[in-house]
Amino acid sequence: TVAAGRNVSPVSDRRCGPRQPRSCRAASSTPPGRRSVHLGVRRPRRLHAGPLGRFPGSRHCSGSTRAGNKRSSSLWSLAAILFIAEAMRIQKAFTDATVGTPALAVIGTWDPLIPAHRELFQEIARRGAEAELTPVVIILFPSPTRLLNPAPSICLEYTDIRARVVLIRECADVKVLIIRLTKSDLDASCRSFFHIIGSYLRLRELWLGADQSLGRGQQGSDAAIAALARSRKISLRRIPVIDGSRVGGMALRLLGEGKVREATQYVGHGPIWGRPKSGALKLNWPPGKYLAVSIAKPAFTPVATSGLISVRISPPVKGRQPTLEWPRRDMEWLSFLASAADIPKHPVNPCGE
């Protein structure tokens, strides 16, 4: 329950978790029995609150902190981490095992996976070998842009997450970590990212894009990231904008127009999607007919296991995403080659007749 009143206890006496200090319970005006968690209401100079709940330093635990209650403070820190884990989490289904050695990491969505990304993964693999650090590619999924723009026609996906992981591993000898995001994580601070990453690996070096942030506002700004990295003795490197890094956005715009063949020319490989268990693939592409081939596994140069297949993406029904009915159960992967928008309405005869 979210409450907006005054002096609300952040942790119920009847719920699991750290018990509230007596000085805090005595100050609360909430009647005994039912209590609430106070989220996201900001009060000047007293309350440290946000989308992940209250943290140490709020006035509800100030009495015990002043009294030197270190145990209460540590329990509050643990509770803060648990709140973070409930929203932002590691998707273990396609993630490599926990990395116990010192590591370096690069963060992105990597969709579509363009040639500049391949070169970057090879570079961090070389850097890892030189510095004796395990190279890790972190995937933010779904894309923060898609969480900001939930309309399917605004933000499209080029390749599904399973195929993306396989393609990244083909680029270089790196580990892959998938961080599953929710809309509430857009307001989280960079500290939230460092907490969740630290639960998986011993981060010693972090590579970020030239203008990349980890959260909105000051709490995810460049200054906040740099300060937190220094406090954790993590080396921070900003990657300059390189030629060819913007072709992914151009490919997604073409895909939004249904022009798969043109998008493929920018990316270097066709979109790859795996068969869902239900057999109905929710694909936020323009409805219509598409040409695809069945492939053995995701690859930059996939091996086709069938001839051309015509598939159709049905229009959305009652606000749902467009859906593609999978052609056959024995086909695990599809690589898309073209769509109706790629075929000219009046083809030109090459003989000039």
Side-chain angles (χ1 to χ4, degrees), residues 212-280:
Q212 188 174 0
S213 62
L214 296 177
R216 291 190 284 194
Q218 292 296 325
Q219 59 185 2
S221 65
D222 185 16
I225 296 171
L228 192 58
R230 283 194 302 270
S231 67
R232 293 172 178 251
K233 298 181 180 180
I234 297 172
S235 175
L236 183 63
R237 174 177 172 180
R238 287 288 180 176
I239 307 169
V241 178
I242 57 178
D243 294 337
S245 60
R246 302 191 185 279
V247 298
M250 299 171 67
L252 290 177
R253 284 193 292 272
L254 289 169
L255 189 61
E257 299 172 5
K259 299 177 180 179
V260 176
R261 184 177 295 167
E262 291 187 43
T264 301
Q265 292 174 354
Y266 280 97
V267 177
H269 63 91
I272 300 174
W273 287 80
R275 181 186 180 276
K277 293 182 179 180
S278 64

Side-chain angles (χ1 to χ4, degrees), residues 155-176:
C155 185
L156 286 75
E157 285 184 276
Y158 191 85
T159 299
D160 82 354
I161 186 66
R162 291 186 297 158
R164 220 176 301 170
V165 171
V166 176
L167 293 177
I168 290 173
R169 289 172 178 156
E170 183 180 336
C171 294
D173 184 14
V174 296
K175 302 292 185 181
V176 179

Side-chain angles (χ1 to χ4, degrees), residues 39-348:
L39 302 179
V41 180
R42 189 177 296 279
R43 298 186 183 182
R45 292 194 302 271
R46 289 186 175 182
L47 182 63
H48 297 263
L52 301 176
R54 295 193 172 198
F55 295 89
S58 73
R59 69 186 181 88
H60 289 297
C61 60
S62 60
S64 60
T65 303
R66 284 194 299 266
N69 192 338
K70 296 181 179 180
R71 179 176 179 273
S72 175
S73 178
S74 62
L75 288 176
W76 272 104
S77 299
L78 176 60
I81 296 173
L82 293 176
F83 274 125
I84 293 168
E86 287 178 2
M88 189 187 306
R89 60 184 175 85
I90 293 175
Q91 184 168 318
K92 297 183 178 180
F94 314 116
T95 292
D96 287 307
T98 303
V99 178
T101 56
L104 70 90
V106 60
I107 301 177
T109 57
W110 320 116
D111 186 48
L113 198 59
I114 60 177
H117 294 157
R118 303 186 212 178
E119 295 174 3
L120 176 61
F121 300 153
Q122 293 167 5
E123 186 179 353
I124 69 167
R126 287 193 296 269
R127 167 62 182 165
E130 294 170 359
E132 297 184 349
L133 298 172
T134 302
V136 180
V137 176
I138 298 176
I139 305 176
L140 301 181
F141 180 77
S143 165
T145 306
R146 190 176 183 188
L147 293 173
L148 283 170
N149 304 286
S153 60
I154 296 177
C155 185
L156 286 75
E157 285 184 276
Y158 191 85
T159 299
D160 82 354
I161 186 66
R162 291 186 297 158
R164 220 176 301 170
V165 171
V166 176
L167 293 177
I168 290 173
R169 289 172 178 156
E170 183 180 336
C171 294
D173 184 14
V174 296
K175 302 292 185 181
V176 179
L177 166 63
I178 303 173
I179 296 182
R180 187 87 184 197
L181 300 177
T182 64
K183 193 171 183 179
S184 64
D185 296 321
L186 298 177
D187 292 316
S189 66
C190 60
R191 188 177 298 272
S192 308
F193 285 92
F194 278 90
H195 271 309
I196 199 74
I197 293 171
S199 68
Y200 173 81
L201 54 85
R202 293 166 55 193
L203 188 61
R204 290 295 175 265
E205 191 170 319
L206 178 63
W207 293 20
L208 296 174
D211 302 318
Q212 188 174 0
S213 62
L214 296 177
R216 291 190 284 194
Q218 292 296 325
Q219 59 185 2
S221 65
D222 185 16
I225 296 171
L228 192 58
R230 283 194 302 270
S231 67
R232 293 172 178 251
K233 298 181 180 180
I234 297 172
S235 175
L236 183 63
R237 174 177 172 180
R238 287 288 180 176
I239 307 169
V241 178
I242 57 178
D243 294 337
S245 60
R246 302 191 185 279
V247 298
M250 299 171 67
L252 290 177
R253 284 193 292 272
L254 289 169
L255 189 61
E257 299 172 5
K259 299 177 180 179
V260 176
R261 184 177 295 167
E262 291 187 43
T264 301
Q265 292 174 354
Y266 280 97
V267 177
H269 63 91
I272 300 174
W273 287 80
R275 181 186 180 276
K277 293 182 179 180
S278 64
L281 177 64
K282 294 180 180 179
L283 195 56
N284 58 340
W285 294 3
K289 291 184 178 180
Y290 291 80
L291 292 178
V293 291
S294 173
I295 60 175
K297 64 177 183 178
F300 291 109
T301 54
V303 177
T305 58
S306 72
L308 285 176
I309 304 170
S310 178
V311 295
R312 183 177 182 83
I313 298 180
S314 303
V317 179
K318 296 181 180 180
R320 297 181 180 178
Q321 290 188 20
T323 304
L324 182 149
E325 293 296 332
W326 206 258
R328 284 166 39 186
R329 293 183 62 88
D330 59 343
M331 293 181 176
E332 184 65 23
W333 300 96
L334 288 181
S335 177
F336 291 82
L337 305 178
S339 68
D342 293 310
I343 304 172
K345 296 181 180 179
H346 303 287
V348 178

